[in-house]
């Protein structure tokens, strides 16, 4: 492995700092990465020909990740780089090296494997080639001038996986399982096992080989999300998902997931998914055959897209139904919450406000009046002889009196007033913007109404009750808080109690 060029020194250092030291040490022991046997044989056949050209070699090796990376790394060495920019594609690298050096580089790098290890790499090579073909097609639509470099990036996006398999051959099955293991799961396993994933490993390798910064950064970000404005990066990231879908045991389901992600970025027509699938259906079988790779189950691109779109439609319906159900459940919860909140404020017997809500509202309105220089009054009401009524007629009769009194009190208040049961047979009414005289008139209406209407009937006889009422107005005393205002009304009410009951007293008058 050659060292990074000056152009990539900063990037290489950044990547090296992210890579665990034990991992970089193990990777440095790997002098060669596995090559597709069919490609190696093809290179040997070309080398036997007396009139082979650089283009012949470039076409033979451009679909092999290991050979492409090796040729580009040699072309990036200081001896060949000179003042020129590093090559972006395999063809550019062979042009720089020349025929003899290209042949020597390729033949010295081929590593033939046999048995289970070679077979276990089939899926890696299938994905690399499929992703490269898909990325090249997408780039022709979105960024045609970058299609060559996008092809190379897609081909090399998983080269870190090849390096990890080579450095840790006995752990390959544990790390990568079967060909049906999802790529996301592979990344998660690598992060748990190594503390990083193969995207970082691949970027570090390419940076160490002196690859162009753009290629290194592309490989490093090749497994990031699709939220990017760089069309070349987008084509690369989409290509891996498309390759996974194409090679999946359930391609329609996997493709539906890819389309769902793309629809969040742009209309499906912009991606020409039907054209991409048709291109893969036409291009991949002969290419896989040439590379000696086994073919997945034959795919009908038209039928695949139709099935994926149907699954996507069904998924959308399911999500819509789930959303409707969630919205209904949320509405029900909000209604239940509103009812519970309302109940927490209401006295169940009289259906007026309870003491906690009365005190909370009085506190808020007291401070509002002080800050806005407004006034208010409170009316404290106590039913006379209520204990005697309970003892004589029973608690059921007492509850009926309280209930009817609550209804009568609710009928007398205005919008904005608040009436509630303060405790036992005591009631409190808050009258915003009302002075003492207005509050006294309100209290007298209560006493007159009680004289006119019985609060219960006991054995067909009408039962009338009287009340003792105390009134306190905020402007009639230097009250420091709402508690003092209630106490003032309470004192006025007790003045009536001591004076014989059945009347109204106003604090300070």
């Amino acid at each position: 492995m050659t060292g990074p060029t000056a152009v990539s020194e900063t990037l290489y250092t950044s990547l090296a700092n992210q890579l665990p030291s034990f991992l970089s040490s193990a990777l440095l022991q790997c002098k060669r990465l596995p090559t597709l046997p069919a490609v190696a044989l093809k290179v040997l056949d070309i080398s036997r020909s007396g009139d082979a050209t650089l283009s012949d070699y470039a076409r033979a090796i451009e679909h092999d990740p290991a050979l492409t990376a090796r040729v580009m790394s040699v072309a990036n060495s200081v001896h060949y780089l000179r003042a020129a920019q590093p090559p972006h594609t395999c063809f550019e690298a062979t042009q720089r090296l020349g025929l003899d050096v290209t042949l020597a580089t390729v033949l010295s790098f081929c590593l033939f494997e046999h048995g289970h290890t070679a077979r276990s790499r089939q899926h890696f090579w299938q994905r690399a080639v499929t992703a490269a073909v898909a990325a090249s097609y997408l780039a022709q639509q979105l960024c045609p001038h970058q299609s060559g470099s996008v092809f190379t990036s897609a081909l090399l996006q998983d080269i870190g996986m090849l390096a990890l398999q080579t450095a840790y051959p006995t752990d390959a099955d544990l790390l990568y399982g079967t060909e049906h293991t999802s790529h996301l799961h592979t990344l998660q396993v690598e992060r748990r096992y190594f503390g990083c994933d193969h995207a970082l490993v691949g970027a570090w390798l390419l940076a160490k080989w002196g690859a162009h910064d753009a290629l290194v950064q592309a490989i490093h970000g090749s497994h990031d999300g699709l939220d990017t404005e760089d069309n070349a990066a987008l084509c690369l990231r989409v290509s891996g998902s498309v390759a996974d879908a194409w090679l999946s045991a359930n391609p329609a389901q996997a493709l539906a997931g890819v389309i769902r992600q793309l629809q969040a970025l742009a209309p499906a027509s912009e991606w020409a998914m039907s054209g991409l699938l048709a291109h893969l259906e036409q291009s991949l079988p002969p290419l896989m055959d040439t590379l000696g790779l086994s073919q997945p189950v034959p795919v009908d691109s038209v039928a695949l897209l139709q099935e994926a779109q149907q699954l996507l439609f069904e998924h959308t319906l399911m999500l819509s139904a789930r959303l409707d159900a969630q919205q209904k459940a949320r509405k029900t919860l909000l209604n239940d919450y509103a009812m519970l909140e309302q109940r927490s404020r209401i006295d169940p017997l009289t259906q007026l406000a309870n003491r906690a809500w009365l005190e909370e509202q009085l506190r808020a309105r007291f401070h509002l009046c002080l800050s806005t220089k407004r006034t208010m009054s409170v009316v404290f009401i106590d039913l006379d002889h209520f204990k005697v009524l309970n003892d004589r007629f029973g608690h059921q009769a007492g509850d009926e009196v309280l209930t009817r009194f609550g209804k009568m009190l609710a009928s007398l208040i205005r919008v904005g007033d608040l009436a509630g049961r303060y405790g036992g047979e005591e009631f409190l009414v808050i009258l915003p913007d009302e002075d003492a005289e207005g509050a006294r008139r309100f209290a007298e209406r209560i006493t007159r109404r009680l004289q006119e209407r019985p609060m219960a009937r006991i054995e067909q006889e009408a039962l009338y009750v009287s009340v003792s009422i105390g009134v306190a107005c905020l402007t009639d005393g230097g009250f420091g808080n709402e508690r003092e205002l209630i106490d003032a009304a309470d004192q006025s009410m007790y003045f009536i109690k001591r004076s014989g009951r059945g009347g109204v007293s106003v604090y300070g008058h």
Side-chain angles (χ1 to χ4, degrees):
M1 294 181 183
T2 62
T5 66
V7 176
S8 301
E9 189 66 45
T10 302
L11 179 57
Y12 172 76
T13 302
S14 173
L15 296 170
N17 289 337
Q18 299 176 55
L19 198 70
S21 57
F22 77 90
L23 194 54
S24 56
S25 298
L27 292 170
L28 287 173
Q29 303 304 313
C30 303
K31 303 301 182 183
R32 298 182 300 176
L33 298 181
T35 301
L36 271 165
V39 173
L41 292 173
K42 180 66 174 176
V43 171
L44 288 174
D45 286 341
I46 294 173
S47 68
R48 296 189 186 102
S49 172
D51 56 353
T53 66
L54 283 171
S55 296
D56 295 331
Y57 283 104
R59 282 193 293 270
I61 67 178
E62 68 176 353
H63 290 101
D64 186 286
L67 286 182
T68 297
R70 176 60 175 171
V71 169
M72 293 182 70
S73 72
V74 174
N76 285 331
S77 65
V78 175
H79 179 70
Y80 291 98
L81 187 58
R82 296 191 179 96
Q85 286 292 313
H88 289 74
T89 66
C90 179
F91 182 76
E92 291 178 6
T94 58
Q95 289 292 107
R96 178 167 297 169
L97 292 177
L99 187 59
D100 293 338
V101 177
T102 296
L103 179 59
T105 300
V106 171
L107 293 181
S108 68
F109 195 60
C110 291
L111 175 62
F112 293 93
E113 298 179 302
H114 303 281
H116 174 74
T117 305
R119 289 193 300 271
S120 67
R121 302 201 197 280
Q122 281 281 326
H123 185 70
F124 166 82
W125 281 316
Q126 288 173 340
R127 186 181 193 273
V129 173
T130 304
V133 173
S136 178
Y137 179 87
L138 291 173
Q140 287 290 347
Q141 318 305 313
L142 297 181
C143 48
H145 62 289
Q146 294 178 280
S147 60
S149 58
V150 169
F151 175 93
T152 302
S153 300
L155 183 74
L156 298 179
Q157 64 180 298
D158 293 328
I159 191 130
M161 185 187 296
L162 198 61
L164 290 172
Q165 289 177 330
T166 305
Y168 297 90
T170 58
D171 299 317
D173 288 340
L174 172 65
L175 289 169
Y176 301 112
T178 66
E179 64 183 32
H180 298 304
T181 301
S182 73
H183 212 68
L184 176 61
H185 178 72
T186 295
L187 293 169
Q188 293 170 342
V189 170
E190 289 173 343
R191 289 164 188 159
R192 288 197 301 268
Y193 200 85
F194 297 115
C196 67
D197 57 40
H198 65 263
L200 174 61
V201 171
W204 175 79
L205 281 174
L206 290 169
K208 187 163 185 64
W209 292 339
H212 194 284
D213 278 7
L215 177 60
V216 174
Q217 291 168 337
I219 299 305
H220 191 210
S222 58
H223 295 74
D224 291 347
L226 303 184
D227 185 15
T228 175
E229 296 181 359
D230 184 342
N231 283 337
L234 188 57
C235 292
L236 169 61
R237 296 173 190 179
V238 170
S239 71
S241 298
V242 171
D244 287 334
W246 189 266
L247 299 171
S248 170
N250 188 352
Q253 187 73 46
L255 183 62
V258 177
I259 296 174
R260 191 159 53 244
Q261 294 181 62
L262 295 178
Q263 285 181 338
L265 301 175
S269 58
E270 185 174 327
W271 286 92
M273 186 60 69
S274 59
L276 171 59
L277 297 180
H279 179 70
L280 293 178
E281 181 183 12
Q282 180 180 4
S283 303
L284 284 177
L287 181 57
M288 293 290 189
D289 186 59
T290 300
L291 297 174
L293 295 173
S294 61
Q295 286 290 314
V297 177
V299 176
D300 182 336
S301 62
V302 175
L304 173 61
L305 183 58
Q306 289 176 345
E307 185 179 354
Q309 289 173 333
Q310 178 62 30
L311 289 172
L312 189 61
F313 175 70
E314 292 172 0
H315 179 76
T316 302
L317 288 180
M318 179 191 69
L319 288 181
S320 179
R322 187 181 300 172
L323 181 60
D324 287 344
Q326 290 174 343
Q327 288 176 338
K328 290 179 181 177
R330 180 177 179 274
K331 186 176 181 180
T332 300
L333 286 174
L334 289 175
N335 289 338
D336 291 346
Y337 175 78
M339 291 179 62
L340 286 173
E341 187 176 32
Q342 182 70 11
R343 289 174 184 173
S344 72
R345 300 172 178 176
I346 298 300
D347 173 63
L349 182 63
T350 64
Q351 296 302 302
L352 298 176
N354 59 25
R355 178 168 180 163
W357 185 238
L358 279 169
E359 290 180 338
E360 181 179 334
Q361 286 297 297
L362 183 59
R363 185 181 307 111
R365 298 183 188 197
F366 183 90
H367 292 294
L368 176 64
C369 287
L370 291 183
S371 62
T372 58
K373 301 187 184 306
R374 294 162 64 181
T375 191
M376 70 173 176
S377 296
V378 294
V379 178
F380 202 100
I381 308 166
D382 185 271
L383 272 64
D384 296 331
H385 305 296
F386 189 76
K387 185 178 183 302
V388 175
L389 185 152
N390 267 336
D391 292 342
R392 181 179 177 183
F393 300 109
H395 288 284
Q396 185 173 353
D399 287 349
E400 183 180 353
V401 169
L402 292 173
T403 300
R404 290 194 176 185
F405 181 78
K407 290 180 179 179
M408 184 271 293
L409 194 58
S411 70
L412 293 177
I413 62 175
R414 307 163 303 181
V415 175
D417 298 342
L418 182 64
R421 185 183 180 190
Y422 199 68
E425 69 275 18
E426 296 176 335
F427 293 81
L428 184 72
V429 183
I430 303 172
L431 303 174
D433 299 313
E434 191 68 83
D435 59 15
E437 180 58 24
R440 183 188 62 77
R441 290 195 297 269
F442 171 78
E444 289 175 347
R445 284 199 298 274
I446 296 174
T447 59
R448 287 197 300 271
R449 185 68 61 87
L450 289 174
Q451 292 169 2
E452 297 167 356
R453 297 182 182 180
M455 290 293 103
R457 289 189 177 276
I458 307 298
E459 296 178 354
Q460 302 303 316
E461 291 188 15
L463 178 63
Y464 292 88
V465 297
S466 64
V467 290
S468 298
I469 302 177
V471 173
C473 180
L474 181 60
T475 54
D476 287 343
F479 303 112
N481 54 51
E482 72 284 354
R483 182 70 257 173
E484 293 180 4
L485 184 63
I486 293 177
D487 288 344
D490 190 32
Q491 292 173 22
S492 298
M493 181 272 295
Y494 271 104
F495 174 78
I496 296 297
K497 287 282 189 187
R498 292 190 296 269
S499 301
R501 296 181 171 84
V504 178
S505 173
V506 179
Y507 179 80
H509 289 235

